[in-house]
């Protein structure tokens, strides 16, 4: 990354001012947002039906982005060209439509539904509930590691500061206001932060558009314009990978159930998709643009993930300062969302039977090993890929619980299906690569996303199919054994009362009602 850091940097005083003033503003904003929810358990934990279309749209953008977009998206552009950028942008936003479909189904199952883990407890029972909660916590932890790794790299590239101190303080700031105000504080701060982020991105896009104007000859010489085979495969791989992995991110579910009604949810996912798509496409185009402008090239020794920063380094110093503020804002959005999601997963795992302050303390302590892992600078895309493949292999058996015709599925069927999806990838790898050693190592995706053959595409397609096959095969086997033993077949019965989506009061409405004085007989007399 050396060349990308030779351009103008923000001076130490300016960098400290930009970072810490931004963090102080977000801390004040977070505490102010959480003032209403820190003593209200409903708003702190759930914030059910509390968000409008606009707020929810901005929150869906916030949960989809982080400072990592400055690394992963331009890298795709340097490898798979414009097709790859649009594939990544589409795959980033398209999963929101899944929540527009699943959200109403969850509410139909239980009108007071507020998390995926709560549904699993109701439908499958404690064993799968614990497993899913642990996996959710692991997923969010991986997201936190990758986000802290990227903000560390941003500070290292654009400022002369030791990145460790601002990275830790950023993590402390988000921990304080999320521990104070919970989900509601995260929702409110993310909405406001995203307005700032959009303004900064527009300014940055205009500046780059004016400053960087590659010639037609440069574009023709470098390429990256024509559709590529890899770009087409990325449409499938990334859509499957991201679409399944967000099912394990409690931040998405918190925002889904925070919608005031199903209609607002559908509109928010629609607008959210286009916001995410546009933002991702703009940032991703920095990769091809850096290649066309000559600030990055494949033989420069600079990784494609740093292409965005080579572009920034070629501009005036104030653009670097703008990027520092933008990256800090993005990281605050991503980290507070992950922290509130981690809290929800852990609190669900103990069935809300532990003092809420104990869980808060656990989340705070968990930040220590997460920061330690982030300092080891893992391959960000590799971390995401491993999490995504695990999600592809395990989530469908869980979602089958929403289908009434599949009420015969037992938690053991779903569990076997989850392991079956993982096994299927290993079996596919052995068959495709011709030997067991390399085949089963496909589970680690050591070659990364950008390989010449179709092994990665096959892994992401086989994983969900394998989980489905194993689920129903084991269910059929279990039912045959049950019949042979003369025992009653299992069938799930939903005894939870349903209520109309429009009639259900929002969390804020409930709070207002609870604040009103009780109506007495005297007040009704004439």
């Amino acid at each position: 990354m050396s060349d990308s850091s030779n351009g103008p940097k923000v001076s130490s005083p300016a960098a400290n001012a930009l970072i810490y003033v931004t963090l102080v503003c977000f801390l004040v904003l977070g505490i102010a947002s959480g003032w209403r929810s820190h003593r209200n358990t409903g708003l702190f934990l759930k914030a059910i039906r509390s968000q409008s279309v606009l707020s929810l749209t901005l929150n869906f953008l916030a949960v989809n982005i982080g400072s990592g977009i400055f690394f992963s998206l331009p890298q795709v552009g340097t490898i798979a060209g414009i097709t790859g950028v649009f594939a990544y942008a589409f795959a980033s936003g398209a999963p929101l439509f899944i929540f527009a479909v699943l959200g109403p189904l969850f509410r139909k199952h239980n009108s007071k539904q507020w998390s995926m883990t709560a549904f699993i407890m109701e439908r499958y029972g404690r064993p799968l509930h614990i497993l899913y909660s642990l996996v959710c916590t692991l997923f969010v932890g991986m997201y936190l590691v990758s986000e802290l790794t990227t903000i560390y790299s941003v500070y290292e590239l654009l400022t002369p500061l030791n990145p460790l101190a601002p990275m830790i303080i950023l993590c402390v700031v988000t921990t304080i206001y999320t521990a104070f105000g919970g989900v509601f504080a995260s929702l409110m701060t993310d909405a406001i932060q995203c307005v700032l982020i959009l303004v900064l991105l527009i300014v940055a896009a205009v500046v780059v558009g004016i400053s960087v104007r590659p010639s037609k000859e440069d574009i023709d010489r470098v390429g990256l314009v024509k559709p590529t085979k890899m770009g087409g495969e990325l449409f499938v791989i990334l859509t499957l990978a991201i679409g399944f992995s967000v099912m394990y991110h409690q931040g998405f579910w918190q925002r889904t159930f925070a919608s005031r009604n199903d209609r607002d949810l559908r509109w928010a996912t629609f607008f959210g998709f286009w916001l995410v798509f546009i933002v991702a496409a703009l940032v991703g185009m920095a990769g091809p643009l850096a290649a066309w402008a000559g600030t990055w090239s494949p033989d420069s020794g600079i990784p494609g993930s740093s292409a965005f920063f080579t572009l920034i380094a070629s501009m005036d110093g104030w653009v670097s300062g703008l990027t520092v503020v933008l990256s800090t804002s993005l990281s605050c959005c991503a980290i507070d969302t992950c922290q509130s999601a981690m809290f929800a997963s852990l609190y669900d795992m103990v069935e809300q039977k532990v003092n809420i302050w104990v869980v808060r303390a656990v989340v705070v302590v968990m930040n220590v090993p997460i920061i330690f892992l982030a300092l080891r600078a893992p391959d960000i895309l590799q971390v995401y890929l491993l999490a995504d493949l695990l999600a592809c292999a395990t989530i469908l058996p869980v979602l089958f619980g929403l289908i009434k015709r599949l009420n015969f599925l037992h938690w053991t069927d779903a569990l076997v299906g989850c392991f079956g999806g993982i096994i299927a990838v290993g079996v596919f790898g052995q068959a495709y690569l011709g030997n067991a050693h390399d085949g089963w190592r496909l589970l680690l995706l050591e070659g990364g996303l950008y390989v010449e053959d179709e092994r990665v595409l096959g892994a992401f397609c086989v994983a969900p199919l394998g989980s489905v096959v194993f689920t129903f095969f084991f269910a059929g086997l279990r039912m045959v054994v049950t019949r042979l033993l003369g025992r009653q077949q299992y069938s799930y019965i939903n005894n939870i009362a349903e209520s109309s989506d429009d009639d259900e009061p929002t969390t804020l409405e409930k709070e207002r009602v609870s604040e009103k004085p009780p109506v007495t007989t005297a007040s009704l007399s004439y």
Side-chain angles (χ1 to χ4, degrees):
M1 292 189 236
S2 57
D3 288 355
S4 64
S5 61
N6 289 336
K9 282 188 175 183
V10 185
S11 65
S12 292
N16 281 317
L18 290 171
I19 294 171
Y20 295 121
V21 168
T22 302
L23 291 178
V24 168
C25 291
F26 288 157
L27 178 61
V28 173
L29 174 62
I31 296 295
S33 301
W35 195 259
R36 187 173 191 176
S37 61
H38 79 287
R39 291 184 178 179
N40 184 314
T41 305
L43 286 176
F44 185 92
L45 289 175
K46 311 172 186 179
I48 295 179
R49 302 176 187 271
S50 64
Q51 302 299 304
S52 64
V53 173
L54 177 60
S55 175
L56 204 58
T57 299
L58 294 171
N59 267 277
F60 276 134
L61 173 63
V63 77
N64 264 290
I65 59 176
S67 58
I69 64 175
F70 294 136
F71 292 87
S72 57
L73 283 163
Q75 182 182 24
V76 172
T78 62
I79 297 172
I82 293 178
T83 309
V85 170
F86 282 98
Y88 208 144
F90 173 82
S92 297
L96 292 179
F97 294 119
I98 299 175
F99 294 95
V101 175
L102 293 183
L105 290 178
F106 276 113
R107 281 177 170 163
K108 188 176 181 180
H109 176 87
N110 179 358
S111 60
K112 296 177 177 61
Q113 195 73 53
W114 68 282
S115 73
M116 181 71 160
T117 46
F119 159 74
I120 292 174
M121 182 64 186
E122 295 167 1
R123 174 60 180 86
Y124 289 112
R126 188 68 172 147
L128 208 60
H129 172 252
I130 294 176
L131 179 62
Y132 181 84
S133 298
L134 287 173
V135 174
C136 279
T137 305
L138 175 64
F139 260 70
V140 174
M142 293 171 75
Y143 277 104
L144 276 174
V145 169
S146 64
E147 186 58 39
L148 290 174
T149 300
T150 53
I151 194 62
Y152 183 96
S153 299
V154 170
Y155 291 154
E156 186 177 42
L157 287 167
L158 298 181
T159 75
L161 304 176
N162 180 351
L164 181 60
M167 182 189 75
I168 291 176
I169 293 174
L170 187 152
C171 199
V172 169
V173 166
T174 56
T175 301
I176 290 173
Y177 70 74
T178 51
F180 178 75
V183 175
F184 188 75
S186 177
L187 292 169
M188 299 306 294
T189 54
D190 281 359
I192 298 173
Q193 286 164 349
C194 273
V195 173
L196 172 63
I197 288 167
L198 288 172
V199 172
L200 294 177
L201 275 174
I202 291 171
V203 173
V206 170
V207 171
V208 171
I210 294 174
S211 305
V212 183
R213 294 186 177 182
S215 64
K216 185 177 183 300
E217 290 75 16
D218 290 332
I219 296 175
D220 292 337
R221 175 177 52 83
V222 175
L224 301 177
V225 177
K226 296 180 180 179
T228 61
K229 175 186 175 184
M230 180 174 291
E233 290 180 354
L234 288 178
F235 267 103
V236 179
I237 295 173
L238 292 175
T239 302
L240 288 174
I242 299 175
F244 283 115
S245 66
V246 295
M247 300 289 103
Y248 280 105
H249 196 319
Q250 284 280 30
F252 284 89
W253 292 113
Q254 288 168 339
R255 281 145 184 78
T256 298
F257 298 127
S259 61
R260 289 180 176 173
N261 51 54
D262 294 342
R263 180 177 177 275
D264 283 2
L265 175 61
R266 286 189 287 269
W267 278 114
T269 54
F270 175 77
F271 294 130
F273 165 79
W274 285 109
L275 264 184
V276 172
F277 180 85
I278 292 170
V279 169
L282 282 175
V283 175
M285 281 303 298
L289 196 58
W292 297 333
T295 62
W296 176 90
S297 65
D299 55 359
S300 64
I302 303 173
S305 57
S306 296
F308 173 84
F309 297 96
T310 66
L311 205 59
I312 295 299
S314 68
M315 301 180 189
D316 295 335
W318 70 269
V319 180
S320 296
L322 180 71
T323 307
V324 169
V325 175
L326 180 58
S327 299
T328 303
S329 304
L330 286 166
S331 284
C332 282
C333 275
I335 292 172
D336 69 26
T337 298
C338 287
Q339 287 173 335
S340 61
M342 183 178 288
F343 177 88
S345 297
L346 291 174
Y347 200 53
D348 258 354
M349 188 167 62
V350 296
E351 299 185 84
Q352 305 176 36
K353 293 179 180 178
V354 176
N355 187 288
I356 196 170
W357 283 101
V358 174
V359 183
R360 283 172 170 170
V362 170
V363 172
V364 172
V365 171
M366 288 181 69
N367 281 292
V368 176
I370 286 172
I371 291 174
F372 174 77
L373 290 173
L375 291 176
R376 301 191 66 177
D379 186 331
I380 300 163
L381 188 59
Q382 186 74 10
V383 172
Y384 280 131
L385 278 177
L386 291 174
D388 294 346
L389 184 60
L390 178 63
C392 283
T394 57
I395 195 62
L396 280 182
V398 176
L399 295 179
F400 285 152
L402 283 170
I403 304 174
K404 289 184 178 181
R405 291 185 178 181
L406 301 181
N407 280 349
F408 61 85
L409 289 178
H410 190 258
W411 71 266
T412 54
D413 307 330
L415 185 62
V416 170
C418 291
F419 284 107
I422 298 172
I423 293 171
V425 175
V427 173
F428 163 78
Q430 183 172 349
Y432 185 81
L433 298 175
N435 65 87
H437 180 266
D438 293 336
W440 286 91
R441 290 184 71 85
L442 181 59
L443 287 165
L444 302 177
L445 294 174
E446 291 178 324
L449 180 62
Y450 311 111
V451 294
E452 296 296 329
D453 55 26
E454 283 74 37
R455 69 180 71 181
V456 177
L457 175 63
F460 277 97
C461 291
V462 166
L465 291 175
S467 68
V468 173
V469 171
F470 272 82
T471 297
F472 288 104
F473 175 79
F474 186 81
L477 182 62
R478 176 185 54 79
M479 293 170 71
V480 169
V481 172
T482 301
R483 176 170 294 182
L484 292 175
L485 294 176
R487 296 180 181 177
Q488 185 176 357
Q489 296 287 355
Y490 169 81
S491 181
Y492 170 74
I493 300 176
N494 183 9
N495 293 317
I496 303 169
E498 299 177 1
S499 64
S500 170
D501 180 72
D502 296 327
D503 294 338
E504 179 71 14
T506 67
T507 304
L508 293 178
E509 288 171 345
K510 291 177 181 177
E511 183 186 12
R512 295 189 190 104
V513 170
S514 65
E515 290 173 352
K516 293 180 180 179
V519 180
T520 62
T521 306
S523 67
L524 297 176
S525 59
Y526 294 92

